[in-house]
Amino acid sequence: MIKLSPSLLAADFSNLKGDIGAAEKAGAQYLHLDVMDGIFVPNISFGVPVIKALRKCTDMVFDTHLMITDPIRYIDAFASCGSDIITFHYEACEDRNAVIDKIHSLGLRAGMSIKPGTAPEVLDGYFDKLDLILIMSVEPGFGGQKFMPSCLPKLEYCAKKIAALSHPCDLEVDGGINLSNVGEVISAGCDTVVAGSSVFGAPDISDAVRSFLQK
Ligand code: DX5
Ligand code: ZN
């Protein structure tokens, strides 16, 4: 069974507790938390105080996706507010090993993400150290965009590399995923699916979560 990581960005911000509760009760394992700084991406979302407050509402795994420049500056903050996994962008910093080591030093799982224009080969040399690889299937910054099939060969590439590792590593995809295209990303080797609009924007959040988990 896949792991589902509903993206909070598409939730009703006036009813976060209710929306999260519906996703959790229906079986979603992770909660995807999109943090944007207005520099790495042209949008600003939410940050530490919101995540800290939500930590009291749910036991879901907090899958924090940092779309921020120079992420090492904020690893302590996003660890202390309750993240379980912290994913940063390959394109957002120079010393990626330092960021991975920092996340691990705080006892959390470390993820690295690549944007649609970045080749998967840049991840060579990091697979051994990572607990999650996030392949973007849209340009980061906004929910509700159209899925880019160019992520599929990247997922296949990473799935092969991960199969050869001696430790567990999630292979996650993010952007434009819905019940019609999720089969394609699973066939390409993805085991962890981010879905915003197609979960929190669905007529019934619980039904949407259950339908994804049956895929
Ligand atoms: C985009 C974010 C995504 C977004 C996904 O920058 O990283 O997590 O919320 O939303 P949907 O599923 O609507 O494309
Ligand atoms: Zn995301």
Side-chain angles (χ1 to χ4, degrees):
M1 186 168 83
I2 59 158
K3 290 189 284 279
L4 184 66
S5 192
S7 169
L8 195 74
L9 203 58
D12 176 355
F13 277 24
S14 68
N15 182 30
L16 290 177
K17 193 174 176 180
D19 277 10
I20 291 168
E24 184 173 24
K25 277 199 202 85
Q29 304 93 332
Y30 289 4
L31 183 66
H32 190 79
L33 299 161
D34 287 302
V35 176
M36 304 179 184
D37 67 353
I39 296 173
F40 183 71
V41 291
N43 196 8
I44 295 175
S45 55
F46 51 80
V48 170
V50 172
I51 297 175
K52 189 176 177 188
L54 295 177
R55 189 65 283 181
K56 297 181 198 135
C57 308
T58 172
D59 293 324
M60 289 162 100
V61 171
F62 275 10
D63 170 27
T64 300
H65 177 193
L66 297 183
M67 286 163 274
I68 67 174
T69 297
D70 206 3
I72 201 156
R73 299 174 297 149
Y74 286 97
I75 301 302
D76 279 315
F78 283 100
S80 64
C81 66
S83 302
D84 298 290
I85 307 168
I86 297 182
T87 297
F88 66 98
H89 269 265
Y90 172 86
E91 304 87 353
C93 53
E94 294 290 327
D95 191 349
R96 291 112 195 165
N97 282 314
V99 184
I100 296 168
D101 290 345
K102 176 75 185 170
I103 297 168
H104 282 157
S105 75
L106 297 165
L108 307 185
R109 286 187 260 167
M112 191 152 72
S113 180
I114 55 170
K115 298 204 288 182
T118 303
E121 289 82 5
V122 304
L123 299 168
D124 290 354
Y126 297 105
F127 283 101
D128 276 350
K129 302 187 73 181
L130 289 167
D131 309 290
L132 182 148
I133 306 280
L134 171 54
I135 304 295
M136 292 304 300
S137 43
V138 298
E139 286 298 337
F142 298 91
Q145 301 181 77
K146 194 170 178 295
F147 173 73
M148 298 167 75
S150 57
C151 70
L152 297 171
K154 295 186 186 185
L155 289 170
E156 286 167 5
Y157 179 87
C158 294
K160 278 199 196 109
K161 297 277 185 179
I162 289 170
L165 297 175
S166 55
H167 71 276
C169 180
D170 292 339
L171 181 53
E172 186 174 60
V173 68
D174 181 8
I177 307 293
N178 54 44
L179 288 165
S180 307
N181 60 24
V182 69
E184 290 176 64
V185 297
I186 295 170
S187 298
C190 164
D191 54 41
T192 306
V193 171
V194 177
S197 321
S198 54
V199 169
F200 288 119
D204 186 306
I205 293 170
S206 308
D207 282 351
V209 168
R210 281 191 287 266
S211 301
F212 269 104
L213 293 176
Q214 280 162 15
K215 292 284 180 180

